[in-house]
Amino acid sequence: MADKQYLKEKSKGGTGDKASVRVDKKHEFLEKSLKKTKEELKASEERFKNIIEKNADGIIVIDSDGVVHFINPASEALFGLEKKKILGKSFGLPIVEGESSEMTVVHSDGEILWVELRVVESKWEDKSVSLVSVRDITRRKRAEEQLIHNAFHSELTDLPNRALFMDRLGQFCERMEPNEDSSFALLFVDIDRFKVINDSIGLTAGNKVLVTVAKMLESCLSKVDTIAHFGGDEFAILMENIKDLGGVMQVVNRIQSNLVSPVKVDSHEVYVSMSIGIRFGDSHSYDPQALVRDAENAMHRIKEKGGGAYQIFDQEMHTRAVNNVQLELEIRRAIEREEFLVYYQPIVSLSERRITGFEALIRWQHPERGIVSPGEFLPIVNEIGMIIPVCEISLRAACRQNRIWNSIGLPPIYASVNISAVQFSQNDFADSVARILKDTGLDPGLLVLELVEDSLIEDVEANLKILHEVREMGIRISIDDFGTGYSSLSYLKRFPLNTIKIDRSFVMELPDDSEIVSAIITMGKSLKLKVLAEGVETQEQLNFLYNFGCDEIQGYLFSRPIPAEEFTELLHKSDSLLSMIPTGDK
Ligand code: C2E
Ligand code: MG
Ligand code: MG
């Protein structure tokens, strides 16, 4: 191009010593061009250098012996190295051409960093070299690690969660070898009435209780034990390599003695008690899921007995658990085959001297075992999550049946139906009751729902809302098994109730031990609630209750729960039954 330019200039011509002038000019021109080219080259090199130097990624040139020929500032910063100390020296980077690879490197200040390497073959001063680009991916890696940590730890207590615990337990079970001296224990720990704690001090403080309890549990264990937070108020502990049950008991005692003093959170002092299920094992082969299930079963057993203690899983519980699996299958089949039916037990008013209502009590007409009572199947129905459809059977049947009895010209009677806690806490509970009333055409004023105290205090605000919805429809509310649950006067006052049913266990003690019954009747009257006594079996009990002003009676003395046809007969011929009611002054 310089020559072309020269020729152009030449063609313009000139005067004087034309030849020498021309040579000079050509020389001058060439020098200028060269300088320009050099400048251009320098600028280009500068630009290129700039790109390399300022590049956020590290770039390193390494020859086949691993000797570094070039390193840019980003690499220096990344590794905390100085160029002069590394140039010409060997640098141990694994070179895999083409693919990108990830590795950790130790920065000169000791920090561990994650880098991504990408290698391409190139030429450097006529030598074959590897051009390594190094990218700092520490932040991304840390975020990934955090995500993985989160997936396997409780957000609240930062303890391993169920998934991680099951994984470790699985590994433990695989490792386990027959060894006579070594045993292990799996503890399933559950805080008693944690919902009540949450309700009374609030969720935030409740969470702090969980964190404190988690730390306390951890402090009771040795380093080799594994503790996990399964969520909510449930924890699990794996104690490996223990000699005998004595070792487990030491830990359990340590936990229990820590619970003697209250947990302090904010301005609250909370007394916490725990139910601990223990699955003790020696070196046989175990299925991790089964171990946890056994420990959990043992925990439920002790909870049923009131909690605050421990229970060791035994063979009898195992048999029960196996039977439950069988029962579960049968229950699912029973729902399909409509084997559930409802019995009716009369409720008698002492002042009106007539049958004023009935309680609907579910039964299972088992193809081989005959009539099975709810105590045997409802707990399992509940466990397998079928309580709602099963209990709807009795609610619907009771409403339908009562509609029939109220259309035969006798004075109106009400249907009293048991509602389980799970059923009641459904968002659409009020709607589902309304639907059943509409379908069956029963007057809402002739329906009473029986709830146990414990199902009301689980979530007071939500329950109050449901109760008001139900009351507004004209339905009445009765507290069942009164005196056996979390009886608290302040709660009773807050809930829009109509009736309390004194539990059979107190009525049974009459007339010898009458204090509790008389106290409940007095309290019920002062709260303007109707009082009903359940489980009245003798004339003496009836007489006592009559004299004490109890409003209604239900029990075998009048009638056992009976099928609908028998109940119809009873309604028509109730005179003999009613003649048992004393007359005269109280
Ligand atoms: P509950 O609601 O307290 O019902 C009273 C229980 O006492 C009934 O037992 C009844 O048969 C029994 N009983 C009544 N009078 C006497 C008596 O004089 N002596 C004795 N020893 N027992 C008497 P059942 O029918 O076995 O029901 C047990 C529990 O099962 C009920 O206790 C209730 O909590 C639950 N249940 C029954 N049916 C249903 C239902 O349809 N839905 C729900 N959610 N629970 C139900
Ligand atoms: Mg009941
Ligand atoms: Mg009851």
Side-chain angles (χ1 to χ4, degrees):
M1 179 200 136
D3 275 345
K4 267 194 193 154
Q5 192 78 13
Y6 167 73
L7 287 174
K8 253 197 203 160
E9 302 232 333
K10 195 182 99 174
S11 68
K12 284 181 195 162
T15 51
D17 184 355
K18 284 186 181 164
S20 75
V21 170
R22 238 180 275 143
V23 170
D24 281 354
K25 280 221 167 160
K26 183 180 179 187
H27 188 75
E28 191 185 317
F29 182 79
L30 282 175
E31 270 205 333
K32 257 195 200 163
S33 303
L34 194 63
K35 196 173 163 219
K36 199 169 166 216
T37 310
K38 269 187 180 167
E39 273 169 11
E40 275 174 6
L41 200 64
K42 199 164 174 234
S44 151
E45 196 182 309
E46 226 17 74
R47 273 200 303 276
F48 176 67
K49 210 172 146 199
N50 226 348
I51 291 170
I52 298 289
E53 303 263 299
K54 300 257 166 75
N55 198 332
D57 288 346
I59 293 170
I60 304 174
V61 178
I62 295 177
D63 68 20
S64 53
D65 300 324
V67 174
V68 177
H69 289 264
F70 173 83
I71 178 163
N72 74 340
S75 304
E76 289 179 81
L78 193 61
F79 295 104
L81 294 170
E82 277 178 61
K83 193 183 203 160
K84 53 182 189 238
K85 288 195 182 156
I86 187 78
L87 277 184
K89 297 203 179 115
S90 178
F91 191 52
L93 282 178
I95 308 299
V96 189
E97 204 199 334
E99 293 167 37
S100 72
S101 54
E102 292 178 356
M103 63 181 285
T104 51
V105 293
V106 184
H107 188 272
S108 62
D109 66 9
E111 196 190 349
I112 294 176
L113 301 172
W114 272 97
V115 291
E116 183 188 66
L117 302 180
R118 213 176 273 274
V119 181
V120 283
E121 290 304 313
S122 182
K123 285 261 180 237
W124 184 272
E125 290 161 359
D126 291 338
K127 264 188 164 187
S128 288
V129 291
S130 298
L131 203 65
V132 186
S133 80
V134 190
R135 173 167 291 182
D136 183 357
I137 53 165
T138 310
R139 279 175 64 173
R140 193 194 85 204
K141 278 285 177 186
R142 297 261 150 87
E144 278 171 15
E145 278 167 9
Q146 187 63 45
L147 285 177
I148 293 170
H149 179 91
N150 292 354
F152 291 104
H153 289 80
S154 146
E155 201 184 331
L156 187 65
T157 57
D158 208 38
L159 289 177
N161 63 10
R162 190 179 199 120
L164 182 53
F165 184 85
M166 292 313 293
D167 185 58
R168 288 193 189 163
L169 183 62
Q171 290 176 18
F172 170 72
C173 288
E174 274 173 26
R175 278 203 308 274
M176 214 161 16
E177 276 175 23
N179 171 359
E180 296 234 325
D181 290 339
S182 149
S183 308
F184 72 92
L186 198 147
L187 278 62
F188 199 104
V189 183
D190 188 289
I191 300 178
D192 297 328
R193 294 183 186 280
F194 186 67
K195 286 229 166 69
V196 179
I197 296 179
N198 258 347
D199 279 350
S200 48
I201 64 176
L203 264 178
T204 319
N207 281 346
K208 289 184 186 165
V209 171
L210 285 175
V211 173
T212 313
V213 164
K215 288 205 181 104
M216 184 279 282
L217 288 173
E218 228 178 338
S219 74
C220 294
L221 304 174
S222 74
K223 287 230 158 53
V224 293
D225 300 331
T226 307
I227 175 166
H229 185 187
F230 274 16
D233 58 347
E234 292 178 348
F235 297 87
I237 296 167
L238 174 65
M239 295 173 67
E240 297 180 34
N241 287 325
I242 46 172
K243 267 221 147 63
D244 49 29
L245 257 178
V248 189
M249 285 308 113
Q250 273 179 2
V251 169
V252 171
N253 290 338
R254 230 175 283 155
I255 295 173
Q256 302 288 27
S257 59
N258 268 315
L259 294 174
V260 172
S261 36
V263 175
K264 295 193 179 91
V265 285
D266 305 335
S267 57
H268 310 283
E269 289 204 331
V270 188
Y271 282 92
V272 174
S273 78
M274 283 176 182
S275 299
I276 305 176
I278 302 170
R279 174 61 158 104
F280 186 73
D282 43 36
S283 29
H284 295 294
S285 56
Y286 288 106
D287 166 33
Q289 303 284 351
L291 287 175
V292 172
R293 193 196 56 215
D294 291 349
E296 188 174 359
N297 267 333
M299 183 280 289
H300 284 300
R301 282 306 291 275
I302 193 64
K303 196 150 277 217
E304 280 164 19
K305 294 184 200 157
Y310 67 87
Q311 170 86 50
I312 298 165
F313 181 85
D314 59 25
Q315 201 47 46
E316 177 256 324
M317 274 182 222
H318 178 71
T319 318
R320 230 175 75 130
V322 171
N323 288 344
N324 282 359
V325 174
Q326 174 68 20
L327 203 53
E328 180 181 331
L329 279 174
E330 289 185 30
I331 288 169
R332 291 188 192 281
R333 222 173 34 211
I335 296 175
E336 275 170 33
R337 299 186 184 167
E338 300 185 8
E339 288 170 3
F340 292 104
L341 51 99
V342 179
Y343 275 19
Y344 303 88
Q345 187 178 32
I347 293 171
V348 174
S349 158
L350 296 184
S351 55
E352 290 182 49
R353 305 183 78 81
R354 70 173 187 98
I355 296 174
T356 40
F358 61 84
E359 177 168 4
L361 293 156
I362 196 156
R363 296 291 179 264
W364 178 8
Q365 173 108 56
H366 194 281
E368 287 126 42
R369 289 160 60 200
I371 299 287
V372 184
S373 58
E376 277 185 65
F377 63 84
L378 280 186
I380 294 153
V381 171
N382 208 0
E383 252 171 52
I384 63 173
M386 305 294 281
I387 196 85
I388 296 173
V390 170
C391 289
E392 269 205 22
I393 296 175
S394 44
L395 180 58
R396 191 171 282 276
C399 290
R400 192 188 327 107
Q401 190 56 56
N402 201 27
R403 171 75 210 263
I404 296 172
W405 284 325
N406 280 294
S407 62
I408 56 176
L410 295 169
I413 59 173
Y414 68 84
S416 199
V417 186
N418 295 288
I419 301 294
S420 72
V422 183
Q423 210 181 348
F424 179 68
S425 58
Q426 293 296 299
N427 281 337
D428 63 346
F429 176 71
D431 292 341
S432 70
V433 178
R435 197 173 339 109
I436 290 174
L437 284 172
K438 190 163 167 270
D439 292 349
T440 57
L442 183 71
D443 171 0
L446 296 177
L447 178 63
V448 174
L449 302 180
E450 295 191 13
L451 296 160
V452 288
E453 290 153 282
D454 285 2
S455 55
L456 285 180
I457 56 160
E458 293 279 275
D459 182 353
V460 174
E461 295 310 319
N463 290 341
L464 268 173
K465 188 170 163 275
I466 303 175
L467 283 180
H468 283 293
E469 277 173 17
V470 171
R471 284 298 309 273
E472 270 160 29
M473 287 157 60
I475 297 166
R476 282 172 289 162
I477 306 291
S478 163
I479 295 296
D480 202 359
D481 304 344
F482 187 80
T484 57
Y486 187 85
S487 321
S488 155
L489 267 181
S490 58
Y491 277 121
L492 274 191
K493 272 188 173 159
R494 280 186 74 187
F495 292 118
L497 308 174
N498 302 87
T499 307
I500 46 184
K501 295 185 82 164
I502 310 175
D503 190 66
R504 189 164 65 86
S505 58
F506 306 116
V507 176
M508 232 161 60
E509 303 296 327
L510 292 178
D512 308 330
D513 192 350
S514 60
E515 266 166 44
I516 295 181
V517 172
S518 48
I520 297 177
I521 296 177
T522 312
M523 186 198 72
K525 296 235 172 273
S526 73
L527 290 173
K528 305 216 160 36
L529 298 172
K530 194 191 265 185
V531 182
L532 183 153
E534 299 188 281
V536 178
E537 292 184 358
T538 68
Q539 183 71 47
E540 278 171 304
Q541 290 166 352
L542 172 61
N543 294 351
F544 178 93
L545 291 159
Y546 178 84
N547 290 333
F548 244 89
C550 185
D551 300 294
E552 288 180 324
I553 299 290
Q554 180 186 344
Y556 290 177
L557 179 67
F558 289 136
S559 168
R560 286 180 176 259
I562 45 178
E565 314 78 63
E566 279 183 49
F567 195 90
T568 312
E569 281 175 37
L570 190 75
L571 280 176
H572 287 293
K573 302 187 286 191
S574 56
D575 288 355
S576 63
L577 178 154
L578 299 170
S579 65
M580 282 186 267
I581 303 173
T583 45
D585 290 346
K586 289 176 183 168

